[in-house]
Structures are given as C-alpha cells and as structure tokens.
Amino acid sequence: MADLHFLANPARFRRFSQRVLPGLGFATVLMLCACLYMAFFVAPADYQQGQTVRIMFLHVPSAWLSMMGYALLAGLGASLLVWRHPLAALMARAAAPVGASFAAVCLLTGSLWGRPMWGTYWVWDARLTSMLLLFFLYLGHIALSRAYDEPERGDRAAAILALIGVINLPIIKFSVDWWNTLHQPASVTRLDAPAIHNSILVPLLWMAVSLLFLFVFLVLLRTETEIDRRRLENAAAQEEGAPA
Amino acid sequence: MSNHAAFILASYLAAFVILGGLVIASLSARNRVRRELDQRGLAPRGSAPRGVDRKR
C-alpha cells in the first residue's frame, strides 16, 4: 500500500512508468504470440462448439478486462471526488478508452461467435444488453471528461458517471443467474470448479494474463501522456495569463 | 478450420485492428506530446522522443 502512495505523485509515477514500460511491452508481445499459438495450434476443438471455441480465447478475457477497467474507473472516480488525488483524473482519462476498446472486442467477438452457434449476431438478452450498456458508459465517460473547457470539471463529471455506472458490473456478472438468458451461465468464475476442460481452460487463462499485460501497458503509457499533456496545458495557460 | 473459419478469423482480425490501433494511437500521441514539450523546453530528463536534438 505504501508503494501505491509513493506513485500518487505524477512525477514519480512518470519515472516509474518509464522504467517499467519497455520490459512490459516486450513481455506483452512475447506472451501474446505464445497465446495465439496455443489458441490456434494447441487447444483442441470443443465437443459442442467445435472450432468456434477459439473465439472464446479473445471474448472471455476481453469481457473480464472491460469489467475490471470499469471497476478501476470507479475507484479512480472515488479517489478523485473524495481525496482529490492528483493522478486519479489523469489515469481515468487514460484508462477509459482502453476499457472501451476491450468492451468493443468483447461485443464484436461475441457477435461473431453467436452467428454460427445461436444463428444470430445479436439478441437483446440481459447479458448482452448490460455489456452493451457498459460500452456506452465508457463512451459517456470519455465524452464527459472532454466536454468542458476546464478539464477539472470534466474529470469530476466523468467520475460521478463512473460511480453511478458501477452498479452495472454486478448486473453483468449475475444477469445469467437472475434472468433467463440465451447467454450461457458462468463457466470459469464459479464457486465450485470451472466447467471447462483444462486443455481449453489453460490457454484461456494465459490469454487473459497476456491481455491483462496489454491493458496495464496501455494504461501506463496513456497516463504518462496525460501527465505530459496536462503540463503542456498548464504552460499554455500560464503564457496566456502572463502580462505582455 | 471448418466452415466457421471466417467467423474465427474475423474475430481475431477485429481484435487486432481495435487493440493494435489503440497501441499505435497511444504511442504516436505520446511522441507528439513529448515533442511539443521538448520544443517548449519543458521536457523532463530522459523523455525526448527519437529524432529530437535537445542541444539546439
């Protein structure tokens, strides 16, 4: 916890991310290559889904990461509103497009899996609709944070949206239990053992780890850019305010 | 890869375009902002983008 407080200072965070990013980027590329090999050449076809199970290696981790990204946004929003954390607003601005991208990947790959398996690209069932709502919440966060001339006001408005929207996360998770949906119930994140064979579960978890690495890489990189952009804006504002 | 190959390849292509595009956009935004910081003489140490000569 002390280490996280150490990173609360934007300048220190910037130095930390500059040290971490090259190695993290390299590890991400290596792991993604290995996972693609596993997804296409090691994992067997599923006895029910056939070859389309390979889409799940992208779809499921993208869903997890888009939900994790929104939980991060909510945490950063609380941190900004309660403690006025200097880095929280910048990191939220950086993380929202990353989370939105993973939500888009989840929706697109799910749709492409649905056509051969369900016979349709889309149904308005609770899981799919709540996931689409998550994507729109991300878009709303991005739009709100950039909607004001004063960035601080935009950041606060977006933080409030993030905190309100976090109610959607348990709805996504439990929608398959609460309602009668076409989407299948949870098969990995269950209280008892996962309902997937290890030959498919292991590549799935490895892909989740490598996409998590990509998520962290992107958030660090974009946060660093936001810190620099804020410096530029502050410098421009000082120049405008300075007497001629 | 069976008659579902088009759906599988389209999924991976979509993910590659979205996530790869985000990586490229993020890297180019960082380089653009750093270059601007450097031109204003505000760049922190060790952050000059490639091709920028700080001595000028």
Short mmCIF file of all heavy atoms in Angstrom, two decimals, chain A residues 120-152:
data_model
loop_
_atom_site.label_atom_id
_atom_site.label_comp_id
_atom_site.label_asym_id
_atom_site.label_seq_id
_atom_site.Cartn_x
_atom_site.Cartn_y
_atom_site.Cartn_z
N THR A 120 -27.67 -16.17 -34.78
CA THR A 120 -27.92 -14.73 -34.87
C THR A 120 -26.71 -13.96 -34.32
O THR A 120 -25.99 -14.47 -33.45
CB THR A 120 -29.19 -14.33 -34.07
OG1 THR A 120 -29.36 -12.92 -34.16
CG2 THR A 120 -29.09 -14.71 -32.60
N TYR A 121 -26.51 -12.76 -34.86
CA TYR A 121 -25.40 -11.94 -34.36
C TYR A 121 -25.73 -11.29 -33.02
O TYR A 121 -24.85 -10.99 -32.22
CB TYR A 121 -25.06 -10.83 -35.37
CG TYR A 121 -24.35 -11.32 -36.61
CD1 TYR A 121 -25.00 -11.41 -37.82
CD2 TYR A 121 -23.01 -11.70 -36.55
CE1 TYR A 121 -24.34 -11.86 -38.95
CE2 TYR A 121 -22.34 -12.14 -37.67
CZ TYR A 121 -23.01 -12.22 -38.88
OH TYR A 121 -22.36 -12.66 -39.99
N TRP A 122 -27.01 -11.06 -32.77
CA TRP A 122 -27.38 -10.29 -31.58
C TRP A 122 -28.75 -10.68 -31.07
O TRP A 122 -29.67 -10.91 -31.86
CB TRP A 122 -27.38 -8.79 -31.92
CG TRP A 122 -27.61 -7.92 -30.72
CD1 TRP A 122 -28.81 -7.40 -30.32
CD2 TRP A 122 -26.66 -7.53 -29.75
NE1 TRP A 122 -28.65 -6.70 -29.16
CE2 TRP A 122 -27.34 -6.76 -28.78
CE3 TRP A 122 -25.29 -7.76 -29.58
CZ2 TRP A 122 -26.70 -6.22 -27.68
CZ3 TRP A 122 -24.66 -7.22 -28.48
CH2 TRP A 122 -25.35 -6.45 -27.55
N VAL A 123 -28.88 -10.78 -29.75
CA VAL A 123 -30.21 -10.88 -29.13
C VAL A 123 -30.20 -9.90 -27.95
O VAL A 123 -29.16 -9.64 -27.35
CB VAL A 123 -30.53 -12.30 -28.60
CG1 VAL A 123 -30.90 -13.24 -29.71
CG2 VAL A 123 -29.37 -12.85 -27.78
N TRP A 124 -31.38 -9.38 -27.65
CA TRP A 124 -31.46 -8.40 -26.55
C TRP A 124 -31.64 -9.15 -25.23
O TRP A 124 -32.60 -8.90 -24.52
CB TRP A 124 -32.59 -7.40 -26.81
CG TRP A 124 -32.27 -6.50 -27.95
CD1 TRP A 124 -32.72 -6.60 -29.23
CD2 TRP A 124 -31.40 -5.36 -27.94
NE1 TRP A 124 -32.19 -5.61 -30.01
CE2 TRP A 124 -31.37 -4.82 -29.23
CE3 TRP A 124 -30.62 -4.73 -26.95
CZ2 TRP A 124 -30.62 -3.71 -29.59
CZ3 TRP A 124 -29.88 -3.62 -27.30
CH2 TRP A 124 -29.88 -3.12 -28.58
N ASP A 125 -30.75 -10.05 -24.91
CA ASP A 125 -30.87 -10.72 -23.61
C ASP A 125 -30.07 -9.92 -22.57
O ASP A 125 -29.34 -8.98 -22.89
CB ASP A 125 -30.51 -12.21 -23.69
CG ASP A 125 -29.05 -12.53 -23.42
OD1 ASP A 125 -28.23 -11.60 -23.34
OD2 ASP A 125 -28.73 -13.72 -23.30
N ALA A 126 -30.27 -10.27 -21.30
CA ALA A 126 -29.77 -9.41 -20.21
C ALA A 126 -28.24 -9.27 -20.24
O ALA A 126 -27.70 -8.18 -20.03
CB ALA A 126 -30.21 -9.98 -18.88
N ARG A 127 -27.52 -10.37 -20.54
CA ARG A 127 -26.06 -10.30 -20.50
C ARG A 127 -25.53 -9.41 -21.63
O ARG A 127 -24.68 -8.54 -21.42
CB ARG A 127 -25.47 -11.71 -20.61
CG ARG A 127 -23.98 -11.82 -20.79
CD ARG A 127 -23.18 -11.17 -19.68
NE ARG A 127 -23.17 -11.85 -18.40
CZ ARG A 127 -22.35 -12.84 -18.06
NH1 ARG A 127 -21.49 -13.30 -18.92
NH2 ARG A 127 -22.38 -13.36 -16.85
N LEU A 128 -26.06 -9.61 -22.83
CA LEU A 128 -25.57 -8.83 -23.98
C LEU A 128 -25.94 -7.35 -23.83
O LEU A 128 -25.13 -6.46 -24.11
CB LEU A 128 -26.14 -9.39 -25.29
CG LEU A 128 -25.41 -10.59 -25.89
CD1 LEU A 128 -25.61 -11.84 -25.07
CD2 LEU A 128 -25.85 -10.85 -27.32
N THR A 129 -27.17 -7.11 -23.37
CA THR A 129 -27.62 -5.72 -23.23
C THR A 129 -26.82 -4.99 -22.15
O THR A 129 -26.43 -3.83 -22.34
CB THR A 129 -29.13 -5.69 -22.90
OG1 THR A 129 -29.81 -6.49 -23.87
CG2 THR A 129 -29.67 -4.29 -22.96
N SER A 130 -26.58 -5.65 -21.02
CA SER A 130 -25.82 -4.99 -19.95
C SER A 130 -24.37 -4.76 -20.38
O SER A 130 -23.75 -3.76 -20.00
CB SER A 130 -25.89 -5.78 -18.65
OG SER A 130 -25.49 -7.11 -18.85
N MET A 131 -23.84 -5.64 -21.21
CA MET A 131 -22.48 -5.45 -21.72
C MET A 131 -22.44 -4.27 -22.70
O MET A 131 -21.48 -3.47 -22.69
CB MET A 131 -22.03 -6.74 -22.42
CG MET A 131 -20.56 -6.85 -22.66
SD MET A 131 -19.64 -6.90 -21.11
CE MET A 131 -18.14 -6.13 -21.65
N LEU A 132 -23.50 -4.15 -23.52
CA LEU A 132 -23.58 -3.00 -24.44
C LEU A 132 -23.69 -1.70 -23.64
O LEU A 132 -23.07 -0.69 -23.99
CB LEU A 132 -24.79 -3.17 -25.37
CG LEU A 132 -24.98 -2.07 -26.42
CD1 LEU A 132 -23.83 -2.09 -27.43
CD2 LEU A 132 -26.31 -2.25 -27.16
N LEU A 133 -24.44 -1.77 -22.53
CA LEU A 133 -24.58 -0.59 -21.66
C LEU A 133 -23.20 -0.20 -21.09
O LEU A 133 -22.88 0.99 -20.98
CB LEU A 133 -25.57 -0.90 -20.54
CG LEU A 133 -25.85 0.23 -19.56
CD1 LEU A 133 -26.49 1.42 -20.29
CD2 LEU A 133 -26.79 -0.24 -18.45
N LEU A 134 -22.39 -1.20 -20.74
CA LEU A 134 -21.05 -0.91 -20.23
C LEU A 134 -20.23 -0.17 -21.27
O LEU A 134 -19.53 0.81 -20.95
CB LEU A 134 -20.34 -2.22 -19.84
CG LEU A 134 -18.92 -2.04 -19.28
CD1 LEU A 134 -18.97 -1.49 -17.86
CD2 LEU A 134 -18.15 -3.36 -19.27
N PHE A 135 -20.35 -0.60 -22.53
CA PHE A 135 -19.63 0.08 -23.61
C PHE A 135 -20.09 1.54 -23.73
O PHE A 135 -19.27 2.45 -23.86
CB PHE A 135 -19.86 -0.68 -24.93
CG PHE A 135 -19.20 -0.06 -26.13
CD1 PHE A 135 -17.82 0.03 -26.21
CD2 PHE A 135 -19.95 0.43 -27.17
CE1 PHE A 135 -17.21 0.60 -27.31
CE2 PHE A 135 -19.35 1.01 -28.27
CZ PHE A 135 -17.97 1.10 -28.35
N PHE A 136 -21.41 1.76 -23.64
CA PHE A 136 -21.94 3.13 -23.71
C PHE A 136 -21.49 3.96 -22.50
O PHE A 136 -21.25 5.16 -22.61
CB PHE A 136 -23.45 3.13 -23.83
CG PHE A 136 -23.94 2.68 -25.19
CD1 PHE A 136 -25.07 1.90 -25.34
CD2 PHE A 136 -23.25 3.03 -26.35
CE1 PHE A 136 -25.51 1.47 -26.58
CE2 PHE A 136 -23.68 2.60 -27.60
CZ PHE A 136 -24.80 1.83 -27.72
N LEU A 137 -21.39 3.31 -21.33
CA LEU A 137 -20.90 4.04 -20.14
C LEU A 137 -19.47 4.51 -20.36
O LEU A 137 -19.10 5.62 -19.98
CB LEU A 137 -20.99 3.14 -18.90
CG LEU A 137 -22.38 2.98 -18.29
CD1 LEU A 137 -22.40 1.85 -17.27
CD2 LEU A 137 -22.82 4.29 -17.63
N TYR A 138 -18.66 3.65 -20.96
CA TYR A 138 -17.29 4.05 -21.29
C TYR A 138 -17.30 5.25 -22.24
O TYR A 138 -16.56 6.22 -22.03
CB TYR A 138 -16.55 2.90 -21.97
CG TYR A 138 -15.83 1.96 -21.03
CD1 TYR A 138 -16.12 0.60 -21.02
CD2 TYR A 138 -14.84 2.40 -20.18
CE1 TYR A 138 -15.45 -0.28 -20.18
CE2 TYR A 138 -14.17 1.53 -19.33
CZ TYR A 138 -14.48 0.19 -19.34
OH TYR A 138 -13.81 -0.67 -18.51
N LEU A 139 -18.14 5.18 -23.30
CA LEU A 139 -18.20 6.29 -24.26
C LEU A 139 -18.65 7.57 -23.57
O LEU A 139 -18.14 8.67 -23.84
CB LEU A 139 -19.14 5.95 -25.43
CG LEU A 139 -18.73 4.79 -26.32
CD1 LEU A 139 -19.67 4.70 -27.53
CD2 LEU A 139 -17.29 4.92 -26.81
N GLY A 140 -19.63 7.42 -22.65
CA GLY A 140 -20.11 8.59 -21.90
C GLY A 140 -19.00 9.18 -21.05
O GLY A 140 -18.85 10.41 -20.96
N HIS A 141 -18.20 8.32 -20.42
CA HIS A 141 -17.08 8.79 -19.59
C HIS A 141 -16.08 9.57 -20.43
O HIS A 141 -15.64 10.66 -20.05
CB HIS A 141 -16.41 7.59 -18.93
CG HIS A 141 -15.41 7.95 -17.87
ND1 HIS A 141 -14.15 8.42 -18.17
CD2 HIS A 141 -15.49 7.95 -16.52
CE1 HIS A 141 -13.49 8.65 -17.05
NE2 HIS A 141 -14.29 8.38 -16.03
N ILE A 142 -15.75 9.01 -21.61
CA ILE A 142 -14.78 9.68 -22.49
C ILE A 142 -15.34 11.04 -22.93
O ILE A 142 -14.62 12.06 -22.89
CB ILE A 142 -14.48 8.79 -23.72
CG1 ILE A 142 -13.78 7.50 -23.29
CG2 ILE A 142 -13.62 9.53 -24.74
CD1 ILE A 142 -13.73 6.43 -24.37
N ALA A 143 -16.62 11.06 -23.34
CA ALA A 143 -17.22 12.30 -23.83
C ALA A 143 -17.30 13.34 -22.70
O ALA A 143 -16.95 14.51 -22.91
CB ALA A 143 -18.60 12.01 -24.39
N LEU A 144 -17.75 12.91 -21.50
CA LEU A 144 -17.92 13.86 -20.39
C LEU A 144 -16.58 14.46 -19.97
O LEU A 144 -16.49 15.67 -19.69
CB LEU A 144 -18.53 13.14 -19.19
CG LEU A 144 -20.01 13.34 -18.92
CD1 LEU A 144 -20.40 12.64 -17.64
CD2 LEU A 144 -20.38 14.81 -18.84
N SER A 145 -15.55 13.64 -19.90
CA SER A 145 -14.25 14.14 -19.42
C SER A 145 -13.66 15.17 -20.38
O SER A 145 -12.82 15.97 -19.99
CB SER A 145 -13.26 12.99 -19.20
OG SER A 145 -12.97 12.37 -20.42
N ARG A 146 -14.14 15.17 -21.64
CA ARG A 146 -13.62 16.13 -22.61
C ARG A 146 -14.63 17.21 -22.96
O ARG A 146 -14.42 17.99 -23.89
CB ARG A 146 -13.20 15.39 -23.89
CG ARG A 146 -11.93 14.57 -23.72
CD ARG A 146 -11.84 13.42 -24.68
NE ARG A 146 -10.59 12.68 -24.56
CZ ARG A 146 -10.32 11.80 -23.59
NH1 ARG A 146 -11.21 11.58 -22.66
NH2 ARG A 146 -9.16 11.17 -23.54
N ALA A 147 -15.76 17.25 -22.24
CA ALA A 147 -16.86 18.13 -22.63
C ALA A 147 -16.72 19.56 -22.11
O ALA A 147 -17.45 20.44 -22.55
CB ALA A 147 -18.18 17.53 -22.16
N TYR A 148 -15.84 19.80 -21.16
CA TYR A 148 -15.75 21.12 -20.55
C TYR A 148 -14.44 21.81 -20.94
O TYR A 148 -13.43 21.16 -21.18
CB TYR A 148 -15.80 21.00 -19.02
CG TYR A 148 -17.12 20.51 -18.50
CD1 TYR A 148 -17.37 19.15 -18.36
CD2 TYR A 148 -18.13 21.40 -18.14
CE1 TYR A 148 -18.58 18.69 -17.88
CE2 TYR A 148 -19.35 20.95 -17.65
CZ TYR A 148 -19.56 19.59 -17.53
OH TYR A 148 -20.76 19.13 -17.05
N ASP A 149 -14.47 23.16 -20.95
CA ASP A 149 -13.24 23.91 -21.21
C ASP A 149 -12.25 23.71 -20.06
O ASP A 149 -11.05 23.64 -20.27
CB ASP A 149 -13.56 25.40 -21.38
CG ASP A 149 -14.27 25.65 -22.70
OD1 ASP A 149 -14.09 24.81 -23.61
OD2 ASP A 149 -15.02 26.64 -22.82
N GLU A 150 -12.80 23.67 -18.82
CA GLU A 150 -11.92 23.42 -17.66
C GLU A 150 -11.83 21.91 -17.47
O GLU A 150 -12.86 21.27 -17.17
CB GLU A 150 -12.51 24.02 -16.40
CG GLU A 150 -12.64 25.53 -16.43
CD GLU A 150 -13.57 26.00 -15.30
OE1 GLU A 150 -13.37 25.54 -14.17
OE2 GLU A 150 -14.47 26.79 -15.59
N PRO A 151 -10.67 21.31 -17.65
CA PRO A 151 -10.58 19.84 -17.55
C PRO A 151 -11.01 19.30 -16.19
O PRO A 151 -11.54 18.19 -16.11
CB PRO A 151 -9.09 19.54 -17.83
CG PRO A 151 -8.38 20.85 -17.84
CD PRO A 151 -9.38 21.93 -17.99
N GLU A 152 -10.82 20.09 -15.11
CA GLU A 152 -11.17 19.60 -13.77
C GLU A 152 -12.68 19.32 -13.66
O GLU A 152 -13.09 18.34 -13.04
CB GLU A 152 -10.76 20.60 -12.68
CG GLU A 152 -9.26 20.72 -12.49
CD GLU A 152 -8.58 21.60 -13.54
OE1 GLU A 152 -9.31 22.29 -14.30
OE2 GLU A 152 -7.34 21.57 -13.63
#
